[in-house]
Amino acid sequence: MLFRQGIIRTSTVANDGLSNYNNMIIGLDIGTSSTKAVAFDHQGEVLAQHGITYPILSPQTGYYEQDPNEIYEACVGSLSEVMRQLAREHPSQPLEGISVSSAMHALIAMDEIGNPITNSIIWADQRSESVAADLKETAQGLDLYIKTGTPIHPMSVLCKIMWMKGHAKDTFQRAHKFIGIKEYLFFRLFNTYIIDHSIASTTGLFDIEKLSWYEPALSLAGIKSSQLSAPVSIHYALHLQDSEQATKLGVPVGTAFVIGASDGCLANLGVGATHPGIASVTVGTSGAVRVLSNSAIADQQQRVFRYLLNPKQFVVGGAVNNGGVLRNWFRDTFMTELTHLPEDINTSRLFDEVISAVNPGSDGLVFLPYLTGERAPHWNANAKGVYFGIQLQHTKGHFGRAMIEGMLFALYSVALALEETTGPIHTIYASGGLARSPVWVQILADVFNKPVFVKETVESSAWGAALVGLEALGIDTNPADHAVADNEDDSYVPNKEHHQIYRKNFQQFERLYQKLQDEF
């Protein structure tokens, strides 16, 4: 099935011939800052949801890790709490299955008896920076990018394993398997190592056209295909037969777990950004701009990634390192008064009020947002954050607004590279945590100079996972012919005057990066 634009409404035909919308499916979204379980009915309405957060560990500069057991427990806790909510509020609606979305580029080394011997080394980790820099400038690096669709960068599993081979030799020798966080979840539940084609396509080790591990990449990493998980379709499902595990999760024995895809690909599907010219902009801890394509278009400048949704559909785009992590950094460092307010106070709204009082363009203050290096379009792990143009009239509010504008300038630079590769973008769908902020979404519309739509639920990756799960379980899906936006979408129209201000600042933003990249 090729997914189409708009909310996909699904139905199961019962024996009496009537459509049954009472069943439900759970999308489990394993993210960088939290795991969320969201129960949906067939129309995409949220019936229950619960999320559990966890920290990013940084044992030394440039190292970013997470405890895989902590994330596993967050998956268990989120699912069991949602099942409790459903038992209380929707006791007559049967669960059809659970489908999984997860963040990309994680690496966990596992020993022979199935214990992790490293933390989960996440996308933001920079320890393999020199490995990536050396490889990127070679003909082999270009070949790997074209074959695997993954840019040569410290985020990639390929570069992480190459670094481990040279700098953590004992760990490398002990490693029986090299896996990601979703693979760890399925191993804990089913005692088997499997990886979906979508996540495999983000490792830098997978041939995205042949759907198999790419031998030249394996040779470079110094590993065998047997040390990686078995690649399977995004529709692959296993049924939980362990009664103890089922009880812990609060689900019936025999519940189907659909492996699903990567959070980025599923976000496009979840918001309906599946037609040419329609882009998904997602900002959680990091951020990304993505479009769906029916061909694996290669950018000879290696600015954008090409990841699989399914064998006939590729998500082309670019991810930035610095999304919501910037707002959290600014709030916790420079607006500590907000962190001490009672939990029932909406600090995000208060933050928006502060930056709304500042003129668009922050009165000439420009921010390069590269606090954790950068991925697309520069793929420069050495990039640094910079405020430029500071004058006496600039207040805390100016610095806060310039931070948000700089974050969006970085995303806009990705969008421009993407348009050169796949064609013009005319419509944006926004999702992720920051899509809850009307102020942020309006600035997004003004910077991009394109209409932006936000779905009623911004849990796009979880809903995308649910849609894949419904199809995997053989539940009839009937894409409806909707307009670009559904009636329930919030829409934001760009302000042309503000865009002209942002265009001038963006041009300066681009020049500053070019002038400072050697200093980084």
Side-chain angles (χ1 to χ4, degrees):
M1 164 185 174
L2 299 184
F3 296 102
R4 302 175 192 167
Q5 168 59 32
I7 290 180
I8 298 178
R9 305 189 184 277
T10 63
S11 64
T12 298
V13 179
N15 291 333
D16 59 5
L18 298 177
S19 294
N20 177 8
Y21 289 105
N22 291 327
N23 294 0
M24 59 191 173
I25 189 163
I26 292 176
L28 180 66
D29 183 20
I30 308 172
T32 302
S33 57
S34 68
T35 287
K36 290 168 284 188
V38 188
F40 299 95
D41 67 14
H42 286 185
Q43 294 174 293
E45 297 296 324
V46 174
L47 304 176
Q49 61 181 312
H50 186 72
I52 295 176
T53 62
Y54 31 76
I56 295 174
L57 311 174
S58 185
Q60 57 182 286
T61 302
Y63 285 43
Y64 297 98
E65 308 174 349
Q66 292 179 312
D67 182 346
N69 291 313
E70 192 168 10
I71 297 176
Y72 171 76
E73 292 300 332
C75 293
V76 172
S78 298
L79 285 170
S80 59
E81 174 56 30
V82 163
M83 292 305 296
R84 278 192 288 270
Q85 292 179 31
L86 292 171
R88 184 174 61 248
E89 299 169 17
H90 303 277
S92 63
Q93 292 184 247
L95 175 66
E96 290 168 316
I98 296 165
S99 186
V100 186
S101 160
S102 76
M104 299 166 269
H105 312 303
L107 174 66
I108 307 165
M110 302 286 287
D111 68 16
E112 196 166 1
I113 61 174
N115 293 319
I117 54 177
T118 66
N119 277 331
S120 176
I121 304 171
I122 66 171
W123 56 266
D125 193 88
Q126 299 173 17
R127 71 190 73 180
S128 62
E129 171 195 325
S130 61
V131 172
D134 291 343
L135 180 59
K136 185 175 181 179
E137 300 306 317
T138 67
Q140 187 178 24
L142 178 60
D143 172 73
L144 288 166
Y145 166 73
I146 291 173
K147 290 289 188 180
T148 71
T150 303
I152 305 299
H153 184 268
M155 70 175 185
S156 84
V157 173
L158 166 64
C159 293
K160 291 182 171 85
I161 295 176
M162 289 176 64
W163 177 91
M164 190 178 291
K165 179 177 66 172
H167 297 84
K169 295 179 181 178
D170 289 344
T171 302
F172 181 80
Q173 292 297 329
R174 287 179 59 203
H176 174 66
K177 292 281 186 179
F178 296 97
I179 66 172
I181 193 60
K182 189 197 294 189
E183 296 153 81
Y184 186 68
L185 170 66
F186 273 76
F187 177 75
R188 290 287 300 269
L189 292 177
F190 300 101
N191 197 34
T192 187
Y193 289 107
I194 55 174
I195 183 171
D196 63 81
H197 290 157
S198 181
I199 289 290
S201 73
T202 73
T203 62
L205 298 162
F206 192 71
D207 188 319
I208 58 176
E209 293 187 348
K210 294 182 178 178
L211 303 182
S212 60
W213 297 116
Y214 187 49
E215 285 299 331
L218 302 186
S219 177
L220 191 61
I223 62 174
K224 301 174 182 178
S225 60
S226 60
Q227 292 178 275
L228 300 171
S229 298
V232 297
S233 160
I234 64 173
H235 299 110
Y236 188 84
L238 292 170
H239 295 263
L240 187 63
Q241 303 299 340
D242 187 319
S243 58
E244 185 177 339
Q245 290 273 31
T247 299
K248 190 174 182 181
L249 292 169
V251 301
V253 172
T255 295
F257 278 74
V258 178
I259 195 165
S262 70
D263 57 357
C265 290
L266 291 173
N268 271 60
L269 178 58
V271 298
T274 55
H275 277 182
I278 302 175
S280 166
V281 175
T282 304
V283 178
T285 304
S286 58
V289 186
R290 300 173 300 267
V291 298
L292 210 65
S293 172
N294 293 330
S295 62
I297 301 166
D299 173 25
Q300 293 298 317
Q301 297 181 58
Q302 303 185 51
R303 294 171 297 176
V304 298
F305 58 65
R306 296 165 296 136
Y307 298 150
L308 281 163
L309 175 58
N310 60 52
K312 294 184 179 180
Q313 288 184 311
F314 299 84
V315 172
V316 185
V320 299
N321 276 6
N322 304 281
V325 66
L326 291 176
R327 188 177 68 172
N328 294 344
W329 161 77
F330 191 89
R331 180 196 62 207
D332 297 345
T333 306
F334 303 109
M335 302 180 75
T336 54
E337 67 275 13
L338 297 183
T339 64
H340 297 113
L341 292 173
E343 289 186 4
D344 60 342
I345 300 295
N346 187 334
T347 57
S348 296
R349 182 178 57 78
L350 295 177
F351 180 87
D352 286 352
E353 288 177 0
V354 170
I355 67 172
S356 293
V358 177
N359 293 324
S362 301
D363 294 324
L365 186 62
V366 175
F367 178 59
L368 303 189
Y370 310 126
L371 268 62
T372 61
E374 188 53 295
R375 286 184 282 174
H378 305 300
W379 304 100
N380 184 353
N382 288 317
K384 304 292 190 299
V386 175
Y387 275 104
F388 178 81
I390 305 170
Q391 295 183 293
L392 288 176
Q393 77 265 24
H394 290 135
T395 65
K396 184 186 298 183
H398 286 88
F399 281 86
R401 185 175 185 108
M403 178 271 296
I404 294 294
E405 292 171 350
M407 176 204 305
L408 289 168
F409 288 160
L411 288 165
Y412 186 49
S413 66
V414 175
L416 294 179
L418 192 53
E419 287 188 311
E420 291 180 23
T421 306
T422 63
I425 294 169
H426 56 72
T427 303
I428 302 290
Y429 273 103
S431 62
L434 286 189
R436 296 185 178 92
S437 164
V439 173
W440 180 84
V441 180
Q442 184 60 57
I443 299 174
L444 169 65
D446 294 346
V447 169
F448 280 61
N449 195 31
K450 303 179 193 301
V452 177
F453 300 93
V454 181
K455 292 288 185 185
E456 188 175 355
T457 173
V458 294
E459 301 298 348
S460 56
S461 294
W463 175 232
L467 288 171
V468 169
L470 288 168
E471 186 178 18
L473 297 173
I475 297 166
D476 184 30
T477 56
N478 299 308
D481 242 344
H482 294 288
V484 168
D486 291 293
N487 291 334
E488 67 268 27
D489 297 346
D490 291 329
S491 60
Y492 295 78
V493 178
N495 182 303
K496 304 297 183 183
E497 292 180 5
H498 293 174
H499 175 69
Q500 291 306 315
I501 295 170
Y502 288 134
R503 184 178 178 182
K504 180 179 178 181
N505 278 22
F506 175 74
Q507 290 170 346
Q508 186 175 50
F509 172 91
E510 294 274 86
R511 292 195 301 270
L512 284 169
Y513 175 81
Q514 295 300 326
K515 291 178 182 294
L516 291 173
Q517 61 179 328
D518 290 340
E519 300 302 321
F520 296 147

